[in-house]
């Protein structure tokens, strides 16, 4: 480049043209790799596989946005809260980098109802959905040589962000035969002196699991645990837990990143227990949002909650790293922040019970119907979140190279979209969402059954 101008080169006919210096042969290595690992990229491929001449409606069992279905809509109290926040004209300006004080205070109180200690507003950092919460935590922990432990299967955003941030990821197994519990022996084998954190997703995406009391601990202790915030008869009760995950983190000297975006979406026999309950054993950073429980994923409001009653994370200046990142990133919309206190205060328990009932009915239907589909098995009935993992048996099916091929051909032939397990770290598995109305779910499962029967191997 001379005198600030791009250098020039000759084309085939001798006419000179600029030679730009910003081109990337493959679009940029880290960005390209991270982008292709995203749920959106996989959904794009599935959608492009659908036959445009198909007259039947597409049954979308691949993504986690239940709002496309009329029965899964947010509470009127949440809508009223946003309208009131807008009309107040008090939330039209810029937000503080960590979030508006009234919203942080409301979320601290909301989370503290299920903990044996009190969070303060200073423990809460508001984010543009849980996606940004993941981005901030991975970026804050990234340092040369460091590694983080991620579940397999898991949510692919973690892999994408670790790759983009040059933080090494190591994958521990979840055991399907044990309700997708963490294989703690594999955790211990993977960890070393450079391991900084372990990610625990509970309730589970993509597995539909809810971890039992026994799996969260190993030594018998007694703690005060509050019943859910919205219960009208909220009382303080004593419960005995056996620690496992928390004590393993303590033994390894690492923090727990508890992804609880599906908090309280537990409809089986096991209640949801926040990982923050065990923060005196190992420090916990909880990631959450309003998107799933209130069914408003497009409102993009999440949080990072520092559950650290002994001040271990503060001593290590983890809170300062989070603060520094929020200073250079975007904030959630101020009017949504303004609506949060009213949403939390006014949404009735009946609304949440209704959503749990819908999810339970859908999960029951899915688990029952999967049993009749050749070549697909479900090792564990979902008890929470909106998803389940099913195993594809290619010994019973003919002509498929892998789960991606299976899912793309299912989209093409039946206009049914399910997520290939490879995108989630589990080859030859698939994730199915059941957060959809029952008739559409039943239709999609019947199409899957026809598809598998059509491609079944002929027994000799």
């Amino acid at each position: 480049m001379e005198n600030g101008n791009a250098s020039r080169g000759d084309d085939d006919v001798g006419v000179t043209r600029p030679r730009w210096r910003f081109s990337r042969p493959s679009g940029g290595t880290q960005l390209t790799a991270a982008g292709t690992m995203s749920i959106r990229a996989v959904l794009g491929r599935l959608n492009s596989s659908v036959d445009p001449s198909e007259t039947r409606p597409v049954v979308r069992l691949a993504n986690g946005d239940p709002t496309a279905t009329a029965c899964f809509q947010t509470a009127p109290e949440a809508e009223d809260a946003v309208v009131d926040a807008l009309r107040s004209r008090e939330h039209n300006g810029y937000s503080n980098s960590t979030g508006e004080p009234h919203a942080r205070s409301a979320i601290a109180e909301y989370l503290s109802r299920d903990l044996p200690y009190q969070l303060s507003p200073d423990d809460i950092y508001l984010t543009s959905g849980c996606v940004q919460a993941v981005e901030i935590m991975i970026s804050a922990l990234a340092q040369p040589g460091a590694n983080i432990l991620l579940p397999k299967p898991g949510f692919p955003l973690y892999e994408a962000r670790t790759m983009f941030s040059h933080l090494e990821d190591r994958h521990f197994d979840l055991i399907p035969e044990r309700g997708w519990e963490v294989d703690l022996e594999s955790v211990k084998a993977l960890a070393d002196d450079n391991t900084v954190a372990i990610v625990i997703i509970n309730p589970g995406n993509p597995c539909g699991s809810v971890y039992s009391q026994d799996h969260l601990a190993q030594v018998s202790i007694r703690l005060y645990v509050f019943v859910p915030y919205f219960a009208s008869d909220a009382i303080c009760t004593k419960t005995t837990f056996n620690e496992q995950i928390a004590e393993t983190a303590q033994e390894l000297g690492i923090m727990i990143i508890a992804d609880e975006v599906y908090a309280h979406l537990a409809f089986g026999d096991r209640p949801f227990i926040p990982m923050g309950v065990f923060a005196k054993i190992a420090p916990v950073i909880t990631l959450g949002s309003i998107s799933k429980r209130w069914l408003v994923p497009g409102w993009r409001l999440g949080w990072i909650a520092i559950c650290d009653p002994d001040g271990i994370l503060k001593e290590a200046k983890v809170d300062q790293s989070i603060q520094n990142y929020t200073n250079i990133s975007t904030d959630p919309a101020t009017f949504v922040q303004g609506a949060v206190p009213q949403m939390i205060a006014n949404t009735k328990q009946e609304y949440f019970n209704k959503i749990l009932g819908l999810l339970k009915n859908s999960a029951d239907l899915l688990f029952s119907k999967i049993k009749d589909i050749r070549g697909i098995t479900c090792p564990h009935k979902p008890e929470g979140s909106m998803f389940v993992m099913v195993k594809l048996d290619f010994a019973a099916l003919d002509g498929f190279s892998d789960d991606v091929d299976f899912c793309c051909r299912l989209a093409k032939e039946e206009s049914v979209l399910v997520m290939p397990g490879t995108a989630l770290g589990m080859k030859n598995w698939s994730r199915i969402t059941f957060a959809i109305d029952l008739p559409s779910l039943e239709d999609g499962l019947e199409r899957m059954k026809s598809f598998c029967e059509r491609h079944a191997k002929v027994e000799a």
Side-chain angles (χ1 to χ4, degrees):
M1 182 178 292
E2 296 179 357
N3 299 323
N5 296 319
S7 61
R8 306 180 73 84
D10 294 339
D11 61 16
D12 293 339
V13 294
V15 179
T16 59
R17 59 183 179 181
R19 182 176 299 149
W20 303 112
R21 302 295 185 184
F22 47 77
S23 63
R24 292 286 187 273
S26 59
T29 54
Q30 274 77 27
L31 185 58
T32 299
T36 55
M37 294 174 67
S38 70
I39 290 287
R40 291 176 178 178
V42 178
L43 287 174
R45 181 173 179 182
L46 293 175
N47 278 301
S48 67
S49 299
V50 173
D51 186 348
S53 66
E54 174 63 76
T55 58
R56 293 176 297 178
V58 177
V59 181
R60 302 185 183 280
L61 305 180
N63 59 338
D65 185 355
T67 63
T69 302
C71 61
F72 287 101
Q73 297 298 316
T74 194
E77 294 87 352
E79 296 171 341
D80 292 341
V82 170
V83 171
D84 290 345
L86 279 170
R87 287 180 172 167
S88 73
R89 298 183 179 178
E90 296 176 358
H91 308 287
N92 295 331
Y94 288 119
S95 169
N96 294 335
S97 63
T98 54
E100 290 300 292
H102 59 277
R104 297 173 74 193
S105 180
I107 291 170
E109 177 62 29
Y110 167 66
L111 297 176
S112 296
R113 300 288 176 144
D114 296 320
L115 300 174
Y117 52 88
Q118 186 73 29
L119 296 175
S120 79
D122 291 339
D123 295 320
I124 307 298
Y125 300 82
L126 299 188
T127 61
S128 294
C130 200
V131 166
Q132 192 191 30
V134 172
E135 172 190 334
I136 290 173
M137 283 313 306
I138 295 299
S139 300
L141 293 175
Q143 54 184 306
N147 66 76
I148 187 170
L149 307 181
L150 304 178
K152 184 181 72 174
F155 187 51
L157 177 67
Y158 285 96
E159 283 82 0
R161 292 309 314 184
T162 54
M163 179 181 297
F164 193 68
S165 299
H166 303 284
L167 177 64
E168 180 189 354
D169 55 48
R170 299 180 180 182
H171 295 84
F172 59 88
D173 293 325
L174 303 181
I175 306 171
E177 296 78 14
R178 286 175 21 198
W180 299 100
E181 288 185 350
V182 176
D183 183 348
L184 293 169
E185 292 305 313
S186 72
V187 168
K188 294 175 183 178
L190 288 168
D192 60 21
D193 290 342
N194 293 320
T195 304
V196 293
I198 180 173
V199 172
I200 301 295
I201 304 176
N202 181 47
N205 174 10
C207 303
S209 53
V210 176
Y211 288 150
S212 68
Q213 297 175 357
D214 289 341
H215 188 50
L216 294 173
Q218 187 172 358
V219 178
S220 181
I221 58 175
R222 295 183 72 80
L223 294 170
Y224 282 98
V225 179
F226 289 88
V227 298
Y229 174 66
F230 293 96
S232 59
D233 57 344
I235 58 173
C236 188
T237 60
K238 283 187 177 180
T239 309
T240 300
F241 296 98
N242 292 322
E243 299 156 71
Q244 276 194 325
I245 293 173
E247 188 168 272
T248 299
Q250 181 191 61
E251 177 185 340
L252 298 173
I254 60 178
M255 76 174 74
I256 300 170
I257 297 177
D259 185 328
E260 295 177 356
V261 72
Y262 291 95
H264 296 291
L265 291 186
F267 45 80
D269 295 332
R270 295 174 176 175
F272 165 70
I273 302 169
M275 199 72 233
V277 166
F278 303 101
K280 286 189 72 67
I281 301 165
V284 175
I285 289 184
T286 298
L287 312 183
S289 80
I290 63 173
S291 64
K292 305 304 181 183
R293 199 177 190 207
W294 275 269
L295 301 177
V296 287
W299 290 11
R300 311 310 301 158
L301 188 134
W303 56 78
I304 297 169
I306 298 183
C307 303
D308 183 32
D310 292 336
I312 297 170
L313 297 175
K314 186 173 183 179
E315 183 179 349
K317 301 188 184 306
V318 174
D319 59 335
Q320 191 59 54
S321 294
I322 297 171
Q323 172 74 67
N324 290 340
Y325 195 96
T326 62
N327 287 340
I328 60 171
S329 64
T330 188
D331 313 309
T334 51
F335 67 87
V336 180
Q337 294 187 53
V340 164
Q342 187 174 325
M343 285 178 59
I344 292 176
N346 292 351
T347 306
K348 297 178 177 62
Q349 182 63 31
E350 288 77 10
Y351 167 77
F352 298 116
N353 291 342
K354 174 187 174 183
I355 297 304
L356 289 177
L358 291 171
L359 289 172
K360 184 180 187 306
N361 291 339
S362 296
D364 289 345
L365 174 67
L366 184 147
F367 190 69
S368 173
K369 292 288 186 180
I370 286 292
K371 294 177 182 178
D372 296 329
I373 301 180
R374 185 175 180 181
I376 300 179
T377 57
C378 182
H380 183 73
K381 185 177 181 179
E383 299 178 298
S385 78
M386 302 175 177
F387 307 102
V388 68
M389 288 291 284
V390 298
K391 189 172 185 178
L392 306 178
D393 179 11
F394 291 130
L397 301 171
D398 192 31
F400 298 105
S401 57
D402 56 24
D403 56 293
V404 176
D405 183 32
F406 176 92
C407 293
C408 288
R409 291 173 64 181
L410 177 64
K412 180 177 178 60
E413 296 179 27
E414 296 290 347
S415 293
V416 175
L417 309 186
V418 297
M419 181 64 59
T422 295
L424 311 166
M426 291 284 281
K427 186 176 181 180
N428 296 340
W429 288 70
S430 180
R431 185 192 77 174
I432 302 176
T433 180
F434 48 85
I436 188 172
D437 63 279
L438 288 178
S440 295
L441 179 60
E442 188 164 18
D443 180 27
L445 293 171
E446 285 297 326
R447 293 193 213 175
M448 288 181 66
K449 182 177 180 180
S450 298
F451 177 79
C452 290
E453 288 176 350
R454 190 162 62 249
H455 292 285
K457 285 185 178 178
V458 178
E459 297 181 0

